[in-house]
Every structure is written in structure tokens, then in C-alpha cells.
Amino acid sequence: MVTSKLDTMRESKPFDLSKLAMVVGLLLVAFQIYTAGFGPFPPLVQRSVHTGLALIMVYLTLDKLGGPFSDFLSTRTGAMVRLVLAVVVGGTCFYIVTQDTRLVESFAVFATPFEIACALVLMILVAFVAYSSTGVALPLLAVATLLYTLFGNHIAGRWGHSGFDLQYTVEYLYLGTEGIWGQVTGLSAGLIAIFIIFGAVLLSTGAAQSFMDIALLVAGRRPGGAAKVATASSAFMGMLNGSAVANVATTGNFSIPAMKRLGYRPRFAAAVEATASSGGQITPPIMGAGAFIMAELLGVPYTMIAYAAIIPAVLFFACVWFSIDIEARREGMKPFPVEEMPHWKEVFALRRFLPLALTLVVTLGAMFTGRTPSLAAFYGIVTNVTLFLLLGEYSWSSFKSRFCSLLEGVNSAASGIVSILALLVCAQITLSLIGLTGVGVKLTETIMMINENNFQLLAVVFAMIVALVLGMGMPTTAAYLLSAAVAAPALIRLGIDPISAHFFVFYSALLSALTPPVCTAVFTAAVIAREHWWPICIDAMRLATMKYLLPFFFIYREGVLLKGTWYEIASSAVMGLVAAMLLAIATGRFYRQPVHWYVSAILALAGVSVVANHVVTDLIALLALATVVVRQWLAVSSGAAGQAVAERR
């Protein structure tokens, strides 16, 4: 009996691997900062060390992911299993470092039985982490493409291929820079990781509260102020973390309860947060990781992508802003109470605002003067940390407190890198096999076949559906990567400009965060609001109507991407605002007074018709907007005048 109790006590106290995970996280962040500032190692070394350190940290903290077997993994035996798996997964990655010279200098590399085992183990462990993090969609797709690679020769017709044996597939995936250590993993090791660190450091030094307070000053006292604050703050935060779900989880814990407290319907509060959070990644100057990947895939400077994204981001948030304003006037929503508003002197106090302002100036200045984005992020991190440590009270306790905040930021950065790495590696496996088997080319040919009878619009819609479906249940970065591999080449072959094609795919893939059945940003907001996800999804899609229309602007009104003459750019921007306002009124069924359903339908059609880029449809849209605005203003004015006369009598 005594022995049994001792065994139970031992089993209930697992090894504490959190400190070891923290050390590995510090090494990972230090490695990324060093290589960003002083240059990366050779590709195989850079990518395998980055992946190895991140996956070691994942398996040391696997019990905290909340996936399958989490109860077992939190026990003493489970901790031992996690430690062993961490060593194994690290070994499979660091083995590549020892073989760098052989793999780079040899003309032909043949996989040994040991390397085949390492590759299979690594793929299984990566797929398991991806499954634990976001569900079955991405690992299932990776497994499906692997099976298709190995057994596709048994499929008849155009979807079959000549077949690849296990040894060749392993050599392709594990022993070169085309497979696991390919372009996506390289982007994670070079660009994405350093910007995750940059965002985490900014947040740990007070940027989150500064963004929230600035948003309160800008929009807090207007009708629907709380919802507009959520929109502005989510846009600021989304630029830094590059994830709609992470953005909802960060700002939503403040904005959703605040909106509910001020009388907003819970479903609408959650919808506002989910919609606004999905827009941060499309907002320059510092967009989400997907924008850096787009620049890399297109082979153009990041600044070109940032400039092109300005007008679409403005149009998206204009539609959200108009929709919130209409909802606020219709429902009589309250602004923030004056006593809860920050004072501008506090928000822009030198010690508080200077580190954030100078950091952004240094980072953007470096980026827009030709430095690489990773080096610009390095300069920003150094600037922010230095100012944060120096601009404070000169006492040991104050310095210690600031240093602890930075350590929390480093831990948060490591966790952020870890949370996305397995997903990116899993996506890289899928993309590599899509390229190897040629299935991407076949999907492209399918889209081209739709266009054979001059049905370009139908082909474009099909490409949008492909991007949307591939993005369901995945982080937006992985969603864009998969969609870009399949849909973007088809659009380019249709004669569409590469930047327009990639922006089309980028926006279409990002819609998956709001579109059922697997709308991850909506699910997260629903948990915070404690509401069922379906009504939230309907409201979120209504608020983001312009985001569903913008991809077609990129094809048929390229002026929104700063292409063409100044007239074309200006007219596209103005008509985009007209479309945004028409869609906001149509979906809200209100302006100054309620709007009948048939009028809403007409306004919606007029807004959508703006995409056609024709003088007739533009005039119809302008006339429709002018009619509803003037009629309702006159009706409200006459009603107010009549009420004033009645009161005087």
C-alpha cells in the first residue's frame, strides 16, 4: 500500500521541462536575432537549426497544446516521453547540419536506411504537432499528397503520374532544399521568425497598451466607439503578429467585454473583433508574414507589396467602419464613457511613446531605404530594447522589472515561432510534393479549361473557391502558401499580372478565417464572447463584405494596386469607397433611417457592379449612393423641422 502511494505521488509530479523549454526558446530567439543582424548561415544549416530548436521546444511543452494525449503527456511518464521525442526530433534536424558539405557538394545524393528512417520520423512528428495545434486539415493534406506521390502511378487518366519510390521521395524531401528544407521553411527561418520576435518585443515593452490608447483617442467618443476602437487596435496589432486568431485572442479579451458592457450585442461584438483582426495582415507598412512571403515568391522588394496594399487596406477598413457606424446609429450604441478615456498627455508621454515611435521610424526607414526586411527588424529590435531599458526610472527594482518584461517578450516570441513552424513545415511538405507530382499544373490546366470559352470571370471565381477551400482550418500564412502554389499560376497563365494574381490569391485565402464551415477567427471570438459561432459568422461576413469583393478589384480594377495612370488609380480608389459605402448600407439596411429590403438589394448590386470598371456601372453606383443619401438626409431634416414646429406650438 505504501509503495502504491509513493508511485502515485511520483507519477503526479512529472519532470519540470518548462525551464529546459525556456532555455531552448532563448537559444532559438538568440539564433534568429544573430542571423538577422549578421547574416544567415548556409541554407541547409540555417533552416535545420531553426526547425530543430523550434520542434524541440514544441515537444518539451507538448502537454500545454491541449491536443490529443494531453492528459497523459502531463504525467511523469508523459514528461519522459516528451523529453525523448524532443531529443529524437532535434536529432533528425541537426543530422542535416553534419551532412551539409556532403549534400551541397555531391552531384548525386542517395538516402541511406538511417536517413529514410530519420525522414519518416521527422514527417510523423511534424504532422502530429500540426494536428495538435490546429486540427486535422493540414496534416491530412500532407499525408494525402505523400500517398499520392507514392501510389499515384496506380491512378488512371490525367490525374495519374509515373510514380516515385520511397527512397527517391525521401531524398527529395529530406536531403535537399526542395523538400522539408525548402523555400517556405527558409522564409520561416529568415523572415517570419524575426518579425514574430519584433512584434513580441514591441508588445512586451508596452506597444499593445499604446495602440489601444491611441485607438481610444481616435474613435472612443464617436457613435459605436468601442467597436471602432476594436477595429483600429486590431489593425495595429494584426500588423505585428500576422495571425487573425492570435490577434482575436490578444485584443479580443479587452474589446469584446468592453463592447458587451456598453450594450453591444455579444454576437456583433465578437463579429467586429474577428473581422478587424483578419484585416491587420493586409495593412501596411508592417503587414503579416504572408506579405513577406509574397514578396519572396514574386522576387520583388517588400516595399512594392506594401505600397500596393495601401488602397485595398483603406477600402476594407472603410467598409468595416461604415458598417459599424450604421449599426451604431441603428441600435443607439454608446461611445466610451469619458472617465474611461485616456488623456493624450499620458498616451504621448516621452518615456512611453518615444520607444515605440523611434522603433517604427528606424524599422520602416531601414526597410524603405533598401535594407532587407530581416535587417530592418533587427535594427528595430535593438532600438526598442535599448530605449526601453534606458528610458525609465534609474533604480534596481525598475530596471529588474523592465528586464523581466523583456524576458517575457522573448518567451512569447519563441512560443510564437513554435506555434507556426510545424504548420509551415507541414505546408512545405505538401507544396514540395505538389510540385514533384505535377498536380498543381493539372489544377492550373483545369482552371485554364474553364477559360477556353472566354469565361474568364468563371475561371477567376473557381480560382477564388480553390484558394478559399485550401485555406479552411489553416493559419492564413499556410493558407496563402498552398493557394499560391495552385491558383496563382493559373491566373498568371490567363494573362493576369503576377502581383494582381498573388494579391487575389492572398485575399481569397485570408477569407477562410471568416468563412464557414472552418472559420478559425470566428471560433476564437465566439469563445471569448460566450456565444454560438454561427450568428457571429453571419455578422462577420456582413462586416467584411468588401473583403469578398476586393479580390475582383485586383483583376478588373488594378488601379487599387497603384497600377496605371493617376486617373485610373484615383478613380479606382474613389469608386472603391463608393462600393464600400453601398455595401455597408445594403447589408446594414439602414443609413439615417431604415432601408427597405428591395432597396438594399439594388444598392448591393450597384456596389458589386463597380468591379466591372465601366463608366455606365460607375455612374449607376454614384447615382444609387447619391439618391439614398440625399433622400434620407431630406427625410430626417424635414422630420426634425416638423418636430421643432410641433414643440413650439
Side-chain angles (χ1 to χ4, degrees):
M1 181 67 71
V2 175
T3 304
S4 176
K5 287 183 177 179
L6 286 173
D7 290 341
T8 302
M9 290 175 64
R10 287 172 184 160
E11 185 68 23
S12 64
K13 293 183 179 180
F15 292 130
D16 185 8
L17 299 179
S18 59
K19 291 183 179 178
L20 181 58
M22 187 181 299
V23 172
V24 175
L26 289 172
L27 288 173
L28 174 60
V29 171
F31 173 77
Q32 296 299 154
I33 292 176
Y34 174 82
T35 55
F38 300 98
F41 291 98
L44 279 176
V45 175
Q46 177 80 16
R47 298 168 190 183
S48 57
V49 171
H50 165 79
T51 305
L53 289 173
L55 289 178
I56 288 172
M57 187 175 172
V58 168
Y59 273 95
L60 290 176
T61 58
L62 193 61
D63 57 320
K64 296 180 175 62
L65 286 182
F69 315 116
S70 58
D71 291 338
F72 165 72
L73 292 171
S74 62
T75 65
R76 184 181 181 86
T77 304
M80 288 294 294
V81 171
R82 286 188 282 122
L83 183 60
V84 170
L85 291 176
V87 172
V88 170
V89 78
T92 62
C93 295
F94 292 129
Y95 172 78
I96 296 297
V97 179
T98 67
Q99 301 297 307
D100 178 59
T101 304
R102 167 200 160 210
L103 298 177
V104 171
E105 296 182 358
S106 299
F107 179 75
V109 178
F110 299 98
T112 65
F114 175 74
E115 288 168 343
I116 293 175
C118 284
L120 292 175
V121 167
L122 178 58
M123 286 189 284
I124 291 169
L125 293 178
V126 166
F128 180 74
V129 174
Y131 170 52
S132 300
S133 301
T134 59
V136 74
L138 192 53
L140 188 62
L141 188 58
V143 171
T145 52
L146 180 60
L147 293 174
Y148 178 71
T149 303
L150 296 174
F151 305 108
N153 56 317
H154 298 293
I155 299 175
R158 66 189 303 269
W159 291 101
H161 59 78
S162 57
F164 302 92
D165 61 21
L166 181 62
Q167 180 167 345
Y168 180 81
T169 304
V170 167
E171 291 165 2
Y172 183 80
L173 287 176
Y174 186 60
L175 300 179
T177 54
E178 296 86 6
I180 293 173
W181 320 114
Q183 188 178 27
V184 177
T185 308
L187 288 169
S188 177
L191 272 178
I192 297 174
I194 193 64
F195 271 91
I196 289 174
I197 296 169
F198 175 73
V201 168
L202 272 184
L203 297 183
S204 69
T205 56
Q209 190 58 49
S210 295
F211 284 149
M212 191 69 70
D213 288 345
I214 291 171
L216 279 167
L217 289 176
V218 170
R221 295 182 182 179
R222 299 183 62 81
K228 292 173 180 175
V229 167
T231 302
S233 59
S234 295
F236 289 142
M237 293 288 291
M239 291 188 292
L240 301 180
N241 59 33
S243 167
V245 174
N247 202 357
V248 173
T250 303
T251 58
N253 279 304
F254 164 82
S255 62
I256 292 175
M259 285 186 271
K260 289 172 65 177
R261 180 164 47 84
L262 292 173
Y264 292 59
R265 292 177 293 123
R267 58 178 279 186
F268 182 76
V272 167
E273 180 58 44
T275 306
S277 293
S278 72
Q281 298 160 92
I282 62 173
T283 309
I286 303 174
M287 302 163 70
F292 294 106
I293 293 174
M294 188 193 299
E296 189 76 14
L297 294 178
L298 287 168
V300 300
Y302 168 75
T303 50
M304 183 180 293
I305 302 300
Y307 284 131
I310 292 173
I311 295 177
V314 170
L315 294 180
F316 168 70
F317 280 107
C319 185
V320 175
W321 194 277
F322 291 150
S323 298
I324 291 171
D325 196 72
I326 286 169
E327 185 86 7
R329 296 179 189 282
R330 187 182 66 198
E331 302 293 333
M333 295 177 180
K334 301 176 183 177
F336 263 98
V338 176
E339 60 272 14
E340 294 187 21
M341 296 285 293
H343 196 277
W344 68 270
K345 289 184 178 179
E346 297 174 0
V347 177
F348 295 103
L350 189 64
R351 286 185 175 180
R352 178 179 175 184
F353 185 70
L354 186 62
L356 174 61
L358 279 183
T359 298
L360 295 178
V361 168
V362 168
T363 305
L364 297 175
M367 195 180 297
F368 284 83
T369 53
R371 305 299 193 278
T372 63
S374 56
L375 185 59
F378 172 78
Y379 289 155
I381 291 168
V382 172
T383 302
N384 187 256
V385 170
T386 303
L387 291 174
F388 180 69
L389 291 176
L390 292 179
L391 294 178
E393 296 180 9
Y394 292 100
S395 64
W396 171 246
S397 60
S398 176
F399 183 83
K400 183 180 178 182
S401 174
R402 295 199 297 277
F403 186 75
C404 289
S405 295
L406 284 177
L407 280 181
E408 290 178 6
V410 169
N411 289 330
S412 175
S415 299
I417 295 170
V418 161
S419 67
I420 196 172
L421 176 92
L423 307 173
L424 292 177
V425 174
C426 206
Q428 174 67 75
I429 294 170
T430 303
L431 292 172
S432 300
L433 295 176
I434 285 174
L436 179 63
T437 58
V439 69
V441 175
K442 292 166 184 173
L443 282 170
T444 298
E445 290 173 350
T446 301
I447 296 174
M448 293 296 296
M449 288 170 59
I450 297 174
N451 189 54
E452 282 182 357
N453 296 320
N454 294 321
F455 291 135
Q456 189 193 59
L457 179 60
L458 188 59
V460 168
V461 170
F462 182 73
M464 184 180 192
I465 294 171
V466 168
L468 186 58
V469 171
L470 285 175
M472 286 185 177
M474 297 185 193
T476 48
T477 304
Y480 165 63
L481 281 166
L482 290 172
S483 305
V486 174
L491 295 174
I492 293 170
R493 286 184 60 184
L494 290 176
I496 294 167
D497 181 79
I499 291 181
S500 298
H502 275 266
F503 261 95
F504 179 91
V505 170
F506 184 42
Y507 269 60
S508 299
L510 295 185
L511 291 172
S512 63
L514 300 176
T515 308
V518 189
C519 37
T520 50
V522 170
F523 291 160
T524 307
V527 171
I528 298 173
R530 298 180 181 178
E531 285 284 311
H532 191 267
W533 67 272
W534 180 253
I536 296 172
C537 184
I538 298 300
D539 276 353
M541 292 174 67
R542 175 169 64 83
L543 291 171
T545 310
M546 193 64 189
K547 200 171 184 180
Y548 288 85
L549 191 62
L550 276 171
F552 298 97
F553 269 72
F554 303 147
I555 305 297
Y556 300 108
R557 297 200 79 131
E558 292 184 317
V560 296
L561 296 175
L562 300 182
K563 293 182 182 179
T565 64
W566 282 107
Y567 171 77
E568 291 170 335
I569 293 171
S571 64
S572 295
V574 170
M575 293 311 301
L577 287 173
V578 170
M581 196 161 184
L582 284 170
L583 292 173
I585 296 171
T587 56
R589 294 186 59 185
F590 190 87
Y591 179 60
R592 297 292 172 179
Q593 291 180 330
V595 174
H596 293 294
W597 69 267
Y598 56 86
V599 176
S600 294
I602 294 171
L603 296 178
L605 289 172
V608 171
S609 72
V610 170
V611 171
N613 194 14
H614 194 279
V615 63
V616 174
T617 54
D618 286 356
L619 288 174
I620 290 173
L622 287 168
L623 182 62
L625 181 61
T627 301
V628 73
V629 169
V630 171
R631 286 193 63 180
Q632 293 219 359
W633 270 105
L634 290 175
V636 170
S637 299
S638 61
Q643 184 178 356
V645 171
E647 289 176 354
R648 283 197 298 270
R649 290 176 179 174

